[in-house]
Amino acid sequence: MNPQKLLLYFYILGICFPVALTYVMIVNLIVGEPIRQMSVLILAFSYIIMIYLNPVFQELWQKWFGKD
């Protein structure tokens, strides 16, 4: 497999994981399940990594919200 293609898949998963964990935490609030502190820390860390180190996210952000 092409290494760039594999890296692209990792970047895409790096975007999907924090979004999915956010939805899981919202469902836990609605259902009444406790939210663990580790989940909050992982969520915050993954959003920081996604925003600052993921070039696919940065490119999508510029495409959707950037001023042309």
Side-chain angles (χ1 to χ4, degrees):
M1 180 178 254
N2 190 357
Q4 285 87 15
K5 193 173 186 180
L6 184 63
L7 190 60
L8 176 68
Y9 289 147
F10 282 132
Y11 286 143
I12 291 171
L13 283 175
I15 295 171
C16 295
F17 178 72
V19 173
L21 186 57
T22 303
Y23 286 127
V24 167
M25 291 180 73
I26 291 171
V27 169
N28 281 346
L29 283 174
I30 292 171
V31 174
E33 291 289 322
I35 296 175
R36 298 184 177 145
Q37 292 176 351
M38 187 58 79
S39 296
V40 176
L41 291 174
I42 290 172
L43 184 66
F45 182 72
S46 61
Y47 267 114
I48 290 169
I49 295 298
M50 179 183 72
I51 291 170
Y52 289 112
L53 298 178
N54 194 334
V56 174
F57 175 78
Q58 293 172 358
E59 185 174 332
L60 287 172
W61 187 267
Q62 286 298 323
K63 183 177 180 181
W64 292 338
F65 299 111
K67 296 183 183 192
D68 293 329

